[in-house]
Amino acid sequence: MESKNRRPSESRSIIDSACSKRYVIAIMGFIGIANAYAMRSVLSVAITEMVEDIHRTAIDPNGCPGPLKTANTTNPNAEFDWSETLQGHILGAFYYGYVFAQIPGGILAQKYGGKHVFGVGIFLTAVLTLLTPIAARIGPAYMIGVRVLEGIGEGPTIPAMNALLAQWVPIGERSRIGSFVFAGNMIGTIVAQSSAGYLLKITDDNWPLVFYVCGVVGLIWYVFWNLLVYSSPNEHPTITDYELAYLERNLKGVNKNKNTLKSTPWMSMLSSGPMWGLMIGQIAHDWALFMINADLPKYMKSVMKFSIAETGVWSSMPHVLMWVFAILTGWLSDYLISNGKLGILQQRRLFSTIACIGPMLGTLAASYAGCDKIKVVVLFTVGMATMGFFYSSMKVNVMDLSPNYAGPAMAMVNGVGAVAGIVSPPLIGYLIPNNTLLEWRNVFWISGGVVIVANSIYLVLASASIQWWNDPVPTSETDDGGV
């Protein structure tokens, strides 16, 4: 009789698993992150057609052959004469707002839940994306202002998503679900860059259209987000009893009663070695990623002499393979940890190192590959693909340290890492006044040095143990993988 009663429950659990609300959260989060990065990165392709080509007409002796250019021959509809340095400031302006909004975003996510903070951030960014063409035409100062405000809109999104996942994702699924969600940044970049190049080609360089498309897609997503997503399992009106019980058993280190949590332990976080390791390690990732997101289209067009359509497609290729690697390594990470092949800390360290060394070697090798377009694209693509290892390692490491304060903790980590986005675009603009191959090679050497140093510090300070400041009262609960 007992076995008969068990079978319906087991059958129901299989159906419930297939319809799990945490997977709905993951899918909507993935699309939301993709939207965020699409709106952020579409400018990097559009700006190549917005701005007149004001470089000297002489051919770079070390660069690739291309047509002799005079001002504005590449696009008769280009409206702006912004210098490389000014373009660098415009591309980097986003990160001033992005860094500024990290801590407030983490606090708001902790207080009001990840759903609303994440959703409103994407909504505001979508509205500002629609306003970008108007701002650009008024003047570069207004363009910079809109980009700063976009950064403020997107700044809370990663801390809010981290807080949301900490409430919904069991530790045994953390690597693969976390990798899937955060890998949305690659899909967003792929779609934005490839579709922007295609739209510019078929519309005779009608660059405002790319901003309108991205903005409208973001607004449509926001409607579905509000209908389908909730900040915690206990708030979800249609979650099954089976999934709710499963999450209560397996959400390690999460305090279900947020009213008992003390105020955010900022000073404890700042005195935590593992937190400093994560913050500095994030710089390694962000420096490489922001450089590729913001400047690879310019390299492809100015040095390799790709057309605008080719620039959009080939600039997005590294992100395609990076996304594949992120998903595969998420599953691989959970397999290795669950089967005792690697401890959690070992996996975090190993995969984060691969994610740093691979892009450095790939970009450097591409700069020495001459004008063989296929070889250059392959080297960039394979090198940047290894960055996919980051999402199942360092990106989810914050949840290892503090599930209760994952939002504020991620705000600190993401905020420090995003400083790279402030520094790198203007610095690169300063280092490439003529967009020559040798200038770009120097950029890749400098970037490689930054990445190696930052990741080395992470390796020394990293941990996968739940930190003492995670709970309202001291806890002896730690994760064996952090020992």
Side-chain angles (χ1 to χ4, degrees):
M1 186 72 175
E2 184 179 349
S3 62
K4 289 181 181 179
N5 290 335
R6 189 181 297 118
R7 286 194 191 96
S9 175
E10 289 173 350
S11 297
R12 188 176 69 252
S13 72
I14 294 171
I15 296 171
D16 291 340
S17 251
C19 304
S20 292
K21 302 303 180 185
R22 65 186 182 280
Y23 298 145
V24 175
I25 302 292
I27 292 169
M28 290 302 299
F30 166 81
I31 299 172
I33 295 286
N35 276 325
Y37 274 76
M39 292 185 287
R40 176 192 307 192
S41 63
V42 69
L43 177 63
S44 63
V45 173
I47 201 169
T48 64
E49 298 305 301
M50 294 165 62
V51 180
E52 297 177 359
D53 190 343
I54 58 175
H55 299 124
R56 66 174 188 259
T57 58
I59 297 175
D60 176 9
N62 298 297
C64 302
L68 189 67
K69 296 183 292 184
T70 57
N72 204 24
T73 56
T74 55
N75 175 17
N77 297 319
E79 299 182 32
F80 313 109
D81 60 353
W82 300 334
S83 68
E84 288 291 345
T85 302
L86 178 56
Q87 291 179 57
H89 284 296
I90 291 172
L91 290 169
F94 173 92
Y95 296 99
Y96 285 97
Y98 190 72
V99 170
F100 172 80
Q102 293 291 314
I103 298 298
I107 295 172
L108 290 172
Q110 188 70 29
K111 185 172 182 179
Y112 298 107
K115 169 187 175 176
H116 299 296
V117 176
F118 186 86
V120 170
I122 301 296
F123 173 79
L124 292 176
T125 307
V127 172
L128 290 163
T129 300
L130 293 172
L131 296 175
T132 297
I134 297 174
R137 284 165 172 162
I138 295 175
Y142 291 89
M143 181 68 172
I144 289 173
V146 166
R147 291 292 289 178
V148 171
L149 291 174
E150 282 189 31
I152 292 174
E154 281 198 28
T157 55
I158 299 300
M161 180 53 63
N162 223 57
L164 191 65
L165 295 180
Q167 294 294 317
W168 278 95
V169 181
I171 190 170
E173 301 176 14
R174 190 170 289 167
S175 292
R176 64 179 180 270
I177 290 183
S179 296
F180 172 75
V181 173
F182 290 118
N185 71 6
M186 288 161 276
I187 293 299
T189 305
I190 292 164
V191 172
Q193 293 188 347
S194 58
S195 63
Y198 180 73
L199 283 173
L200 288 167
K201 179 182 178 181
I202 65 173
T203 61
D204 294 325
D205 302 313
N206 182 13
W207 59 266
L209 183 62
V210 300
F211 295 101
Y212 298 147
V213 171
C214 282
V216 169
V217 171
L219 294 179
I220 293 172
W221 168 89
Y222 181 63
V223 173
F224 287 94
W225 177 261
N226 280 312
L227 294 174
L228 298 173
V229 172
Y230 293 83
S231 289
S232 70
N234 288 327
E235 295 177 21
H236 205 297
T238 60
I239 191 171
T240 63
D241 292 339
Y242 170 79
E243 185 176 13
L244 188 60
Y246 172 77
L247 292 176
E248 288 177 347
R249 289 194 308 270
N250 292 282
L251 284 171
K252 188 175 183 181
V254 175
N255 193 304
K256 306 302 189 301
N257 183 4
K258 290 297 177 184
N259 293 325
T260 67
L261 288 175
K262 60 186 177 183
S263 59
T264 303
W266 297 111
M267 294 308 298
S268 297
M269 291 183 190
L270 284 172
S271 64
S272 170
M275 279 293 295
W276 275 103
L278 266 178
M279 288 188 286
I280 295 172
Q282 185 79 26
I283 292 174
H285 169 266
D286 285 0
W287 188 284
L289 182 63
F290 296 159
M291 177 187 69
I292 293 299
N293 281 352
D295 293 295
L296 184 58
K298 288 164 65 175
Y299 181 87
M300 292 295 196
K301 183 180 179 184
S302 299
V303 176
M304 298 304 301
K305 305 300 190 296
F306 284 114
S307 70
I308 183 58
E310 290 174 325
T311 295
V313 172
W314 296 124
S315 296
S316 67
M317 286 306 295
H319 300 281
V320 174
L321 205 55
M322 195 192 310
W323 175 74
V324 173
F325 271 52
I327 301 303
L328 294 178
T329 56
W331 286 92
L332 177 61
S333 297
D334 283 339
Y335 169 79
L336 293 173
I337 293 169
S338 299
N339 289 275
K341 308 293 185 181
L342 286 176
I344 295 177
L345 180 57
Q346 291 175 313
Q347 182 273 330
R348 304 299 191 235
R349 283 173 168 163
L350 174 62
F351 280 36
S352 69
T353 300
I354 295 172
C356 288
I357 292 177
M360 181 198 72
L361 296 177
T363 53
L364 278 172
S367 72
Y368 285 94
C371 295
D372 186 331
K373 292 185 177 182
I374 294 177
K375 185 183 295 184
V376 168
V377 169
V378 168
L379 288 169
F380 269 122
T381 300
V382 173
M384 295 306 298
T386 60
M387 196 177 286
F389 283 79
F390 169 81
Y391 296 90
S392 60
S393 54
M394 199 183 297
K395 195 69 172 180
V396 298
N397 198 188
V398 167
M399 289 185 278
D400 298 328
L401 303 182
S402 179
N404 280 328
Y405 298 105
M410 177 55 86
M412 291 178 62
V413 171
N414 216 47
V416 172
V419 171
I422 295 175
V423 175
S424 62
L427 176 62
I428 291 171
Y430 174 78
L431 292 172
I432 57 165
N434 301 303
N435 253 319
T436 65
L437 176 61
L438 292 182
E439 289 172 348
W440 275 101
R441 188 176 293 162
N442 289 334
V443 167
F444 295 143
W445 273 111
I446 292 170
S447 298
V450 171
V451 166
I452 291 298
V453 170
N455 186 69
S456 298
I457 295 173
Y458 170 73
L459 294 180
V460 173
L461 298 176
S463 173
S465 298
I466 294 177
Q467 300 298 291
W468 63 270
W469 39 265
N470 176 67
D471 293 308
V473 293
T475 180
S476 61
E477 181 183 26
T478 59
D479 191 287
D480 293 338
V483 176

